Amino acid sequence: MTYWQNPGKSSTDTSLSAWVTALTHRIDPGAAPWLREHDPFAHLLDGLDDAPLDESARRFLRERAAQLREEWDYLDWPTPDTVVLGALGMAPCHDDGTYVRLLLRRPLRRGHREWDLVAARWRSELLTGPRQDHRTYTDTYLSYEREGRLPDHPYIGAWSGYQVVRDIVVLTTVLNTVRRAHLDAGIRQEAAHRIACLRGAHPVPWNWGPR
């Protein structure tokens, strides 16, 4: 965990996030053997039994997590293990006008870089930002990658395992809302709506397209 006393404003520059991600992926995992393996299912269902949901919703979320867990175990990763951020979005960068600073909200893990790239794409393109933001992210990331380690797909959305990883990111986001549903009626309503979207009762409030 890294804290800065005065990190400055949160940066919306996706190239900074891509730069941090690329440099993280260049760390030799052998140099940090104490790093834990990245497991997006660890503690994923924590708090579900206490959430203000009906049993049908709880059962659906458990079954969905079990299905994705099985698909995760059979993913064909195109790159070897490396050091990953393991977050759900882009690397959180701040700029005080002098230095770009990174705030790590969780420790680094050993995993596959595709997780970070899918999560960044979900955050920057499919959820909140315009398409050109992700183009900037991708171009910057590739420019800092080591020669010979470039992906065999033109963009992360073309990777065969993209949908599985994306769906895990989505489920994790929904469950983060579910865990906060006890706080007030608005969050409870949002949690119920997101679960209904996953179950196909409503159009999803984000863009699912591969683009």
Side-chain angles (χ1 to χ4, degrees):
M1 195 82 69
T2 302
Y3 293 99
W4 296 96
Q5 186 174 3
N6 183 22
K9 295 181 179 180
S10 176
S11 175
T12 59
D13 185 351
T14 56
S15 65
L16 293 179
S17 176
W19 170 72
V20 169
T21 304
L23 293 185
T24 301
H25 292 172
R26 292 183 68 167
I27 298 172
D28 180 3
W34 58 85
L35 291 180
R36 294 183 180 180
E37 182 179 356
H38 173 235
D39 180 4
F41 296 92
H43 308 294
L44 179 64
L45 297 176
D46 285 3
L48 180 58
D49 289 338
D50 298 325
L53 303 175
D54 59 41
E55 188 53 40
S56 174
R58 291 194 187 93
R59 183 170 59 252
F60 167 77
L61 292 172
R62 291 191 191 98
E63 291 174 353
R64 182 63 175 148
Q67 175 191 359
L68 290 173
R69 168 89 251 190
E70 182 176 356
E71 294 178 5
W72 169 270
D73 289 340
Y74 286 96
L75 278 176
D76 182 17
W77 297 101
T79 56
D81 282 359
T82 189
V83 178
V84 298
L85 296 165
L88 290 178
M90 296 182 293
C93 297
H94 296 250
D95 192 348
D96 65 357
T98 305
Y99 299 105
V100 176
R101 309 181 191 277
L102 168 69
L103 287 174
L104 291 180
R105 298 178 181 174
R106 62 181 67 193
L108 297 174
R109 301 288 189 192
R110 292 172 61 97
H112 295 276
R113 65 181 184 174
E114 284 75 21
W115 170 274
D116 285 345
L117 298 181
V118 172
R121 182 172 186 267
W122 156 257
R123 183 68 184 170
S124 68
E125 181 182 17
L126 302 185
L127 188 62
T128 61
R131 187 176 184 181
Q132 58 266 28
D133 283 356
H134 189 68
R135 183 73 266 167
T136 300
Y137 181 97
T138 300
D139 290 344
T140 304
Y141 176 84
L142 292 177
S143 71
Y144 280 94
E145 267 292 79
R146 291 174 177 168
E147 187 176 353
R149 291 184 57 196
L150 297 181
D152 56 3
H153 40 266
Y155 61 102
I156 193 61
W159 172 47
S160 62
Y162 167 75
Q163 183 173 334
V164 173
V165 176
R166 182 207 64 187
D167 287 351
I168 296 170
V169 172
V170 171
L171 180 62
T172 305
T173 303
V174 171
L175 282 164
N176 286 343
T177 305
V178 167
R179 273 188 288 275
R180 296 183 294 110
H182 67 281
L183 296 176
D184 62 53
I187 300 177
R188 284 196 297 275
Q189 184 177 6
E190 179 66 19
H193 178 70
R194 291 188 174 199
I195 293 170
C197 290
L198 288 184
R199 301 178 84 169
H202 303 293
V204 294
W206 47 75
N207 185 344
W208 293 92
R211 286 196 296 174

